[in-house]
């Protein structure tokens, strides 16, 4: 008997089974023309006994759908030797989500990125079905295939349209399809409990199945689990039909025991708090029995679009060395990011210090930048979140995970294979913990680097600002001096000429202002300035914080450097190899003497490898990260103080700048007043002199020459003036002075000759 | 019959053969206590017939050696059932270098990094043997094992000490060991040609074997290849014994045909020109028959140390989009780096522009930085090498590689498996070309980015410099004006007083200098400055170069973005899968009808996959990179001009700065002179006035008050002066002026009252 089957363009071997169902089987086949591998679905006798319109329905549906997230139909051909029609489809080499979830790597659900890919592709495929008014009626992990494209990227695709049919959203159907764990309670009631309820079902039954599927993909487990599993049908119905709104799982862990209801995803799943917050309501909306509250497809597609459009931001929380994921809405801004962080960390927005590499996050995005305008962030270069208030570092070790199993003394190929798989599950959990610790230890070093450089840059900035203020202070000082001198001169002249001005408060305040200025400028020059210089010298120039850290971690190992994650991966691979060995032993059913010897050795190896992995985690990586956390806490206590000091000095400098500006503004008035008074006094003096001398006409020539000379000098003085805007008021004084010179009795003297 | 064997602590199955030799076999075994996999060497009857001292020699040698690059001895145990001693060693899961070289991936030798790892580990292992006065006598790829450690890193280790013995470097031995292709010609002569030459051999025979091994590892082929292979023993001897010094390969490609000698490594090997330059002399030194010229171990170890201590620098040569590797000696500097680049590119040092990311390489290392002080460079972030002279971009497509084979019409499991392997070899070559093109296209974009930013930064710098010079020019202008004015004033006074100074050349040059300065400053202000501003506006502010590039490549595909390398990898994996299928078919010897059908399909698949890979390379990637190269050439023609303009302007600015400084220095002398003359003239005027007035004692009180007033004013003027160092010469003039005021006849006037 030949296992070879074929159609016009394809050939397959009945030994290469990809899957089997009630109405037929799927085999891996090959295109005869180019050798391309394909999947071939054949139909059995039972299927041919169905009504003709039901038989052709699958072909019709497949011909109608054409979407990246639905397995592509390549051909419908007649099988040779008249065995009927076969469906040839593209081959999804990644297997089904059922196979993937069955891998011990995914015992606690898929990783976040992969989970979101499933959500994206599943909903896109469903959207295409809805757009074509199709209902699938048998959605479950086993019918979602992983297609690995030539360029290595993954595409999930819906398959098996054996139960599908056309159905408008408001239309109903009567027939029963689907797989019981994923069935809507109403369908379950009739199909599994065989109750003649007479209900019809709408397209939304697919939504319930999507809910169960997504819960399964997110957690590795079914949401509704009666004790005893499938056998306990009444409890299954009770759990699904009677659960409260918002409840997304119900578990009965003892016979006839109570149901543990939960509105949350379990802790051991691989999803972050950030994504759980978005996915939990989605699951709640899908797993809804109340026809009033149940979501429609539009709502589902919108919510998925909302989740997928968010910007993923990776944050490293320094106080507990944990990675945080924040999904920022495309239309929301920095404020919301801070709020989302407060939710996950209890650090209030005003106490958050957010650094990306060595810069404040706000130097990379603006406060008003929308989420969609944020750059793409790299998980390996997270934003560092420090707290202004809290300088403790407490690493969370998560030691409540599953434990490695022990084998029984007697050999049982059944139980050994299962225990081997459990060991692999636990191994994967350990490995992920080690990877997490290793990343955390790397980020621990990175955050010190970021913070140190940020402080150093900050101090550079404060120093530059204070230097500029010193310059400004010097200029103001000069004008104050000028006021004082002008006052002094005016005083001398008025005393000499016995003038007395009406005693306004604005007169002769030079000394008073000078004293006020002394007090003000002393703050900068003898307090603020030296303090800034000192801090800058220590933490900007001498890099004391960096040295401090180097000293603290000199003797510590970092899991990243000891290649702990690579070692963990090797050990997990070894566990998986052993598991595969035990699986083969189970498949062979009876072991030869030789096989049994090696079976026992493989069990020993599983035990030893598990122990090594446990030790790597608990005796190496965890103590290392704990020590690193202690070092970081010691370091951050200093660094935080420096940071806060720098902040205070920065504020003080700003405050001083404000005071100086206020003083300069106020003083500018007095300065003008003083100069005006002096000018006025000189005018009086001039008049007095002219009065004294009597008016004589100056000799024409000499006067002109002398004025020309004076003009030259005044030109030169004018040039000087130009270069100092600060002293521009003085120039009017100088001008007065020149005017005075021009009119001085000199001319008269010459006419005396 | 049981296949199970064991010793006290180990167990193995005789079906798990790792290797077989003349004296025994090596099996994969397991440690009974912990399940750890090991390698177990057992001995056959022939081995037990050797003299006892020869039999124990291997144990003795193994007990003596202890080094990371020698396979570790775990135990020597008695096999149960009295089959004799077994050697238990650590298991090298990567197989031997022979297996690795047999993989179609390595048909043309190992990749450079892996080759250097072999060189490093092989020589370290040999060094340990030499330090223990041991000679191996059977070095070859099959005896170099790849150990993959738990953390995923690779360690090559020497194994099989069956032929090893103690031997001082100057000692000789008589016995014959080794594998013929790797044998020193003298040993070959006696062992293979059976000539009773009576020669003895030294430890250096190992060096010859290392030479042959390294050539094999570097190229995938043996260096000495008589037509017909092993059968043609006389030619083999002729090639090795009669080859000239420096010749590292001799190939006879037709029966009794001529030998093609070569002193170079072949083009198709995976080593870069940079490493070939270092490795070729090494191979020449090892493959040396002349006892006078042959290297000793010390020389070998030194040369290896030299090669391995060099700093690897990755360069992207923009003119042909090729990656270049330069190995810089730890004690050499930038000059040598430039020379090494000239060797590989013909770009002379003065025409090289070297940028790392967006900075000139010389802003990251100094000219005097030693190679060992260079940072570690990342292959994915190479230094970009542009030529100042050459703005052509000609991509080298390397279309002379091997071609995909065609299968014969009739099925032959033998030939089909071989052709499958050839297809894989060619596939790997295609894949590497695609990866190279993809990298080149990425670097193409990167180099545009680097160059654009570098130019923009350069222009910012030139602008800042010219702005500073404008300021300086303004200050100089003021002093020139001051000179002119002082001259004018002096002229007016002297004319008035009818003084005539001895007509020195230094007098009254104000106008002349002013004209000279006008000419000078016009260069900056109306030529250089605007040119700089214009270039900066276009290429610094408006980013015209970037826009230009975006425009040029808008419609082009980049192999990096179309994931061409990932697609190539998938196709190569598919070829390898098919090859494995064909290999299994060969192993099964006779095919069933079913198997034959699938065998044919697999051949079709190989053909189709090869075609797809060829098309991906030749119809997709190569046209893409050619178009990109054309775009880059167009772009660089503009960019190079801008770069050179910026350089010229930069030099012009520097030249102007020099001129300005020279002028300022020269002028400073005249300026002082002018002021001095003015001062002198004023002094004269003062005396003249005093003479005219006669000396009268001023009224005490008034004079004092007035002087106090004058002092106040002079204080204020002094403050003004302070702020301009540039005009400090003027202040002496002002001082003079004040002095004059103090002594003016004012006082006299008052006494006239």
């Amino acid at each position: 008997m030949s296992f070879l089957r074929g159609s016009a363009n394809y050939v397959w071997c009945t030994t290469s089974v990809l899957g089997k169902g009630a109405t037929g089987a799927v085999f891996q086949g090959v295109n005869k023309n180019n050798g391309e591998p394909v999947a071939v679905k054949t139909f059995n006798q039972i299927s041919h006994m169905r009504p003709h319109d039901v038989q052709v329905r699958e072909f019709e549906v497949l011909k109608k759908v054409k979407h990246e997230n639905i397995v592509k139909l390549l051909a419908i051909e007649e099988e040779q030797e008249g065995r009927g029609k076969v469906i040839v489809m593209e081959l999804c080499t990644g297997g089904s989500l059922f196979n993937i979830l069955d891998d011990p790597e995914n015992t606690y659900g898929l990783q976040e990125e992969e989970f979101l890919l499933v959500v994206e592709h599943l909903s896109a495929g469903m959207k295409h079905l809805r757009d074509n008014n199709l209902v699938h009626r048998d959605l479950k992990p086993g019918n979602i295939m992983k297609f690995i494209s030539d360029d290595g990227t993954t595409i999930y695709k819906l398959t098996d349209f054996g139960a599908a049919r056309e159905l408008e959203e408001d239309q109903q159907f009567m027939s029963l399809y689907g797989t019981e764990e994923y069935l809507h309670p109403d369908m379950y009631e009739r199909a599994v409990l065989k109750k003649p309820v007479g209900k019809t079902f709408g397209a939304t039954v697919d939504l319930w199945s999507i809910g169960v599927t997504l819960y399964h993909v997110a957690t590795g487990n079914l949401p509704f689990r009666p004790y005893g599993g499938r056998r306990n049908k009444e409890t299954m119905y009770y759990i699904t039909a009677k659960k409260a709104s918002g409840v997304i799982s119900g578990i009965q862990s003892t016979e006839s025991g109570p149901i543990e209801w939960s509105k949350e995803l379990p802790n051991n799943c691989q999803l972050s708090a950030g994504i759980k917050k978005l996915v939990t309501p989605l699951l709640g909306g899908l797993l809804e029995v109340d026809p009033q509250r149940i979501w429609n497809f539009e709502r589902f597609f919108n919510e998925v679009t909302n989740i997928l459009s968010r910007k993923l931001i990776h944050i490293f929380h320094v106080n507990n060395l944990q990675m945080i994921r924040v999904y920022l809405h495309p239309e929301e801004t920095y404020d919301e990011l801070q709020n989302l962080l407060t939710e996950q960390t209890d650090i209030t927005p005003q106490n958050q210090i957010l650094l990306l590499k060595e810069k404040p996050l706000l130097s990379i995005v603006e406060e008003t930048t929308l989420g969609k305008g944020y750059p793409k962030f790299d998980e390996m270069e997270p934003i560092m979140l420090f707290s202004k208030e809290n300088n403790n570092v407490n690493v969370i070790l998560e030691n409540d995970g599953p434990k490695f199993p022990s084998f029984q003394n007697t050999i049982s190929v059944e139980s050994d294979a299962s225990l081997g798989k459990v060991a692999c599950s636990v191994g994967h959990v350990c490995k992920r913990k080690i990877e997490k610790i290793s990343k955390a230890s790397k980020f621990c070093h990175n955050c010190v680097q970021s913070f140190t450089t940020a402080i150093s840059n900050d101090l550079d900035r404060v120093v530059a600002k204070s230097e500029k203020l010193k310059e400004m202070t010097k200029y103001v000082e000069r004008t104050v001096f000028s006021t004082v001198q002008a006052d002094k001169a005016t005083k001398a002249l008025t005393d000499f000429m016995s003038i007395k001005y009406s005693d306004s408060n604005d007169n002769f305040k030079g000394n008073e202002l000078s004293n006020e200025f002394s007090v003000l400028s002393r703050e900068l020059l003898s307090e603020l300035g030296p303090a800034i210089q000192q801090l800058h010298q220590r933490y900007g120039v001498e890099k004391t914080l960096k040295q401090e850290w180097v000293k603290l971690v000199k003797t510590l190992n970092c899991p990243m450097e000891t290649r702990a994650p690579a070692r963990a991966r090797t050990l997990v691979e070894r566990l998986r190899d052993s598991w595969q060995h035990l699986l083969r032993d189970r498949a062979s059913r009876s072991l030869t003497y030789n096989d049994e010897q090696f079976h026992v050795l493989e069990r020993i190896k599983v035990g030893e490898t598990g122990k090594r992995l446990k030790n790597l985690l608990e005796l190496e990586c965890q103590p290392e990260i704990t020590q690193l956390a202690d070092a970081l806490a010691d370091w951050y206590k200093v660094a935080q103080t420096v940071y806060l000091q720098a902040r205070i000095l920065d504020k003080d400098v700003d405050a001083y700048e404000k005071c100086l500006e206020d003083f300069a503004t106020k003083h500018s008035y007095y300065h003008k007043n003083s100069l005006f008074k002096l000018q006025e006094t000189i005018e009086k003096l001039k008049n007095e002199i002219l009065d004294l001398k009597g008016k004589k006409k100056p000799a024409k020539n000499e006067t002109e020459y002398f004025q020309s000379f004076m003009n030259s000098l005044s030109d030169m003085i004018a040039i000087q003036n130009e270069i100092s805007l600060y002293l521009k008021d003085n120039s009017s004084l100088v001008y007065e002075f020149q005017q005075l010179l021009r009119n001085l009795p000199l001319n008269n003297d010459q006419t005396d000759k």
Side-chain angles (χ1 to χ4, degrees), chain A:
Chain A
M1 176 192 157
S2 168
F3 300 106
L4 204 65
R5 298 276 183 280
S7 61
N9 296 296
Y10 299 90
V11 61
W12 61 97
C13 203
T14 51
T15 51
S16 315
V17 190
L18 294 173
K20 271 194 172 158
T23 56
V26 182
F27 301 100
Q28 178 162 346
V30 187
N31 181 326
K32 290 186 197 172
N33 309 303
N34 58 19
E36 280 289 317
V38 295
V40 181
K41 180 171 182 179
T42 61
F43 294 88
N44 60 18
Q45 284 307 318
I46 299 168
S47 79
H48 291 134
M49 283 149 62
R50 294 176 301 169
H52 182 256
D53 63 325
V54 175
Q55 281 193 47
V56 296
R57 209 189 256 160
E58 184 168 3
F59 304 141
E60 299 307 318
V61 168
L62 275 173
K63 281 181 198 160
K64 206 169 163 188
V65 294
K66 198 183 168 86
H67 190 270
E68 199 182 23
N69 298 114
I70 291 172
V71 173
K72 193 158 97 189
L73 175 71
L74 297 175
I76 295 173
E77 296 195 349
E78 283 291 334
E79 187 174 342
Q80 282 152 4
E81 304 176 35
R83 285 194 179 86
K85 284 203 161 52
V86 298
I87 297 175
V88 185
M89 294 167 292
E90 61 184 346
L91 179 69
C92 295
T93 51
S96 78
L97 260 182
F98 177 83
N99 307 134
I100 293 166
L101 287 167
D102 190 44
D103 190 293
E105 182 171 4
N106 302 316
T107 301
Y108 302 99
L110 298 192
Q111 291 204 56
E112 188 154 324
E113 286 75 13
E114 201 66 14
F115 169 75
L116 287 176
L117 206 62
V118 171
V119 170
E120 182 186 347
H121 293 175
L122 172 54
S123 75
M126 277 312 298
K127 177 117 191 12
H128 182 73
L129 292 189
R130 270 324 317 144
D131 290 346
N132 285 282
N133 291 316
L134 293 168
V135 57
H136 186 285
R137 298 198 290 192
D138 195 12
L139 286 171
K140 57 177 178 178
N143 285 338
I144 300 169
M145 307 302 294
K146 181 171 177 169
F147 180 86
I148 299 168
S149 53
D150 277 356
D151 67 2
T153 50
T154 291
I155 307 169
Y156 288 98
K157 297 180 183 240
L158 298 179
T159 192
D160 194 354
F161 291 81
R165 58 163 283 182
E166 280 200 51
L167 196 77
E168 305 288 334
E169 185 150 8
D170 50 359
Q171 239 184 318
Q172 305 286 305
F173 65 90
M174 290 282 292
S175 335
L176 293 167
Y177 287 96
T179 303
E180 57 189 84
E181 284 84 355
Y182 300 87
L183 273 189
H184 188 277
D186 290 350
M187 297 237 331
Y188 188 91
E189 192 180 9
R190 230 187 58 197
V192 184
L193 302 184
K194 316 276 188 211
K195 294 201 180 156
V197 199
K199 272 184 187 161
T200 56
F201 318 107
T204 45
V205 296
D206 275 354
L207 285 174
W208 177 278
S209 305
I210 292 173
V212 179
T213 299
L214 288 183
Y215 186 96
H216 194 169
V217 173
T219 66
N221 276 303
L222 288 166
F224 309 119
R225 312 207 290 272
Y227 184 80
R230 274 198 177 186
R231 284 181 290 111
N232 195 346
K233 295 183 199 306
E234 289 293 341
T235 307
M236 178 67 181
Y237 179 68
Y238 171 78
I239 292 175
T240 53
K242 305 305 175 199
K243 76 171 200 60
S245 269
V247 164
I248 59 170
S249 77
I251 299 157
Q252 186 187 40
S253 33
T254 53
E255 186 148 12
S256 309
I259 315 294
E260 288 168 54
W261 304 105
S262 177
K263 295 187 171 194
E264 301 294 335
L265 286 161
N267 282 330
N268 59 16
C269 88
Q270 297 196 50
L271 305 187
S272 67
I275 198 69
K276 276 181 176 174
K277 201 189 135 198
L278 300 169
V279 167
T280 309
L282 182 78
L283 293 176
L286 296 173
L287 299 173
E288 177 55 68
V289 264
D290 182 347
Q292 303 302 312
R293 291 167 174 261
I294 198 163
W295 281 13
N296 58 13
F297 276 99
E298 198 190 339
R299 176 87 192 271
F300 169 63
F301 295 137
N302 286 343
E303 293 290 335
V304 167
T305 306
N306 175 340
I307 294 176
L308 297 173
S309 67
R310 286 171 177 257
K311 187 74 82 172
L312 170 56
I313 301 172
H314 299 277
I315 316 260
F316 181 64
H317 183 195
V318 173
N319 293 117
N320 60 11
L321 307 187
Q322 295 290 299
M323 288 298 297
I324 293 175
R325 282 168 184 237
V326 163
Y327 286 83
L328 186 62
H329 191 278
E331 302 298 332
E332 276 171 348
T333 60
Y334 191 76
D335 274 355
E336 179 61 14
L337 169 61
Q338 289 206 303
N339 290 335
L340 291 171
L341 283 175
T342 305
E343 272 179 26
Q344 290 200 41
T345 64
D346 292 327
I347 305 179
T348 55
Q350 68 273 19
N351 278 323
Q352 295 171 8
I353 306 173
L354 292 168
L355 300 178
L356 182 58
K357 290 184 210 172
E358 287 140 14
K359 289 179 185 162
L361 181 56
L362 276 183
S363 72
I364 292 149
V365 297
E366 317 256 321
E367 292 224 38
T368 55
T369 307
L370 295 177
K372 62 186 170 193
Y374 273 54
K376 204 177 168 326
F377 294 99
D378 180 355
E379 189 179 353
M380 290 313 285
E381 222 147 40
I383 294 166
M384 303 293 175
L385 167 63
F386 298 83
S387 165
K388 282 181 198 164
E389 261 187 343
N390 180 357
N391 57 25
N392 293 312
V393 180
N394 294 309
V395 64
I396 300 162
L397 290 182
E398 305 177 78
N399 266 335
D400 52 347
K403 304 273 174 279
F404 282 104
S406 305
F407 290 92
Q408 293 156 313
N409 283 335
T410 53
I411 292 175
S412 149
V413 284
E414 275 301 325
S415 129
D416 288 349
S418 306
L419 289 175
K421 188 176 174 184
V422 173
C424 286
S425 290
V426 181
H428 277 289
V429 172
C430 281
K431 188 194 86 171
R432 285 195 287 263
K433 282 184 185 167
I434 289 167
E435 284 166 346
K436 213 163 146 188
I437 288 176
S438 173
K439 259 193 229 168
S441 77
K442 180 183 186 321
F443 297 152
C444 206
H445 290 279
N446 291 1
C447 80
V448 167
Q449 169 68 27
S450 295
F451 203 75
T452 306
T453 313
I455 285 183
S456 167
N457 291 345
D458 224 28
L459 287 172
D460 285 350
R461 214 173 33 76
V462 176
V463 164
K465 208 147 76 176
S466 84
E467 287 305 311
K468 198 196 87 194
L469 282 176
K470 274 188 198 157
E471 279 294 293
M472 273 178 65
T473 304
K474 213 148 74 184
Y475 284 125
V476 176
E477 188 176 30
R478 280 171 191 161
T479 60
V480 171
F481 183 69
S482 144
T483 306
V484 171
Q485 292 300 93
D487 279 4
K488 212 188 273 171
T490 309
K491 195 83 174 43
L493 287 174
T494 49
D495 284 357
F496 166 63
M497 296 187 299
S498 311
I499 310 168
K500 209 167 166 66
Y501 288 105
S502 64
D503 214 338
S504 153
N505 277 336
D506 293 345
N507 292 333
F508 306 120
K509 295 194 80 171
N511 280 323
E512 194 184 311
L513 284 168
S514 175
N515 290 338
E516 193 188 323
F517 180 74
S518 292
V519 174
L520 175 64
S521 66
R522 197 179 306 127
E523 191 195 329
L524 178 71
L525 302 173
S526 23
E527 289 165 31
L528 213 46
I532 290 168
Q533 281 301 344
Q534 201 191 343
L535 206 66
H536 180 253
Q537 180 62 29
R538 235 180 127 190
Y539 299 104
V541 180
E542 291 167 11
K543 314 271 179 219
T544 310
L545 279 177
K546 196 179 166 180
Q547 290 158 12
E548 192 63 25
W549 177 249
V550 170
K551 218 169 69 192
L552 279 165
V553 299
K554 208 168 50 195
T555 58
L556 301 186
N557 277 329
C558 170
M560 203 67 156
E561 281 157 18
T562 58
R563 299 182 60 85
R567 283 149 66 207
R569 272 193 292 279
T570 303
L571 293 172
V572 170
E573 274 315 306
R574 205 166 289 174
L575 283 177
R576 292 183 66 99
D577 287 348
S578 295
W579 170 51
Q580 290 298 320
H581 187 127
L582 297 176
L583 273 185
R584 282 192 301 272
D585 285 352
R586 179 172 72 181
S588 73
R589 288 177 186 271
S590 77
L591 299 179
T592 65
Y593 173 73
N594 274 3
D595 292 342
E596 202 175 291
Q597 299 307 304
F598 282 102
H599 182 91
V600 170
L601 282 171
E602 216 60 47
R603 297 194 341 167
I604 293 174
K605 198 165 143 193
V606 169
E608 288 294 318
T609 310
K611 206 190 289 169
R612 281 180 64 189
L613 199 47
K614 188 169 182 284
N615 290 346
L616 178 57
L617 173 65
E618 294 177 6
L619 304 183
E620 188 176 326
C621 294
Q622 289 184 345
E624 278 170 5
I625 195 72
T626 308
Q627 287 174 351
L628 209 56
D630 291 346
L632 185 62
D634 288 350
W635 179 86
Y636 189 54
K637 283 184 182 42
V638 181
Q640 179 208 31
T641 312
V642 179
Y643 175 86
L644 293 177
Q645 274 181 321
R647 298 282 78 214
I648 290 167
L649 290 175
D650 191 27
K651 270 192 196 142
D652 287 354
V653 165
D654 288 346
Y656 176 79
E657 185 172 24
K658 179 82 179 57
C659 288
L660 186 66
E661 273 166 9
D662 288 352
F663 179 85
T665 308
K666 181 174 76 180
H667 173 256
S668 146
Y669 168 76
Y670 292 113
H671 185 53
K672 271 188 202 134
N673 193 54
S674 296
L675 295 174
F676 175 72
K677 273 276 172 276
L678 181 56
Q679 184 186 344
E680 203 184 330
T681 312
I682 290 168
E683 190 66 20
K684 283 190 178 135
L685 177 66
K686 189 184 79 186
N687 292 334
E688 219 161 87
I689 292 169
L690 289 177
D691 284 353
L692 280 171
K693 291 302 299 175
K695 277 171 184 139
K696 285 172 195 166
K697 206 178 153 60
K700 190 80 178 146
N701 242 15
E702 295 91 321
T703 310
E704 273 175 16
Y705 276 119
F706 216 83
Q707 279 193 349
S708 130
F709 163 49
M710 286 303 172
N711 287 341
S712 307
L713 289 182
S714 86
D715 280 340
M716 273 180 278
I717 290 168
I719 292 166
Q720 282 184 290
N721 295 337
E722 229 185 86
I723 60 169
S724 165
L725 284 170
Y726 241 87
L727 285 175
K728 73 165 182 290
D729 289 332
N730 279 12
S731 77
S732 66
L733 177 64
V734 171
Y735 176 75
E736 278 313 309
F737 179 49
Q738 288 154 6
Q739 292 299 320
L740 175 65
L741 285 174
R742 280 183 201 169
N743 296 307
L744 270 182
L746 261 177
N747 339 359
N748 306 354
D749 285 329
Q750 281 168 349
T751 57
D752 279 358
K753 268 190 277 183

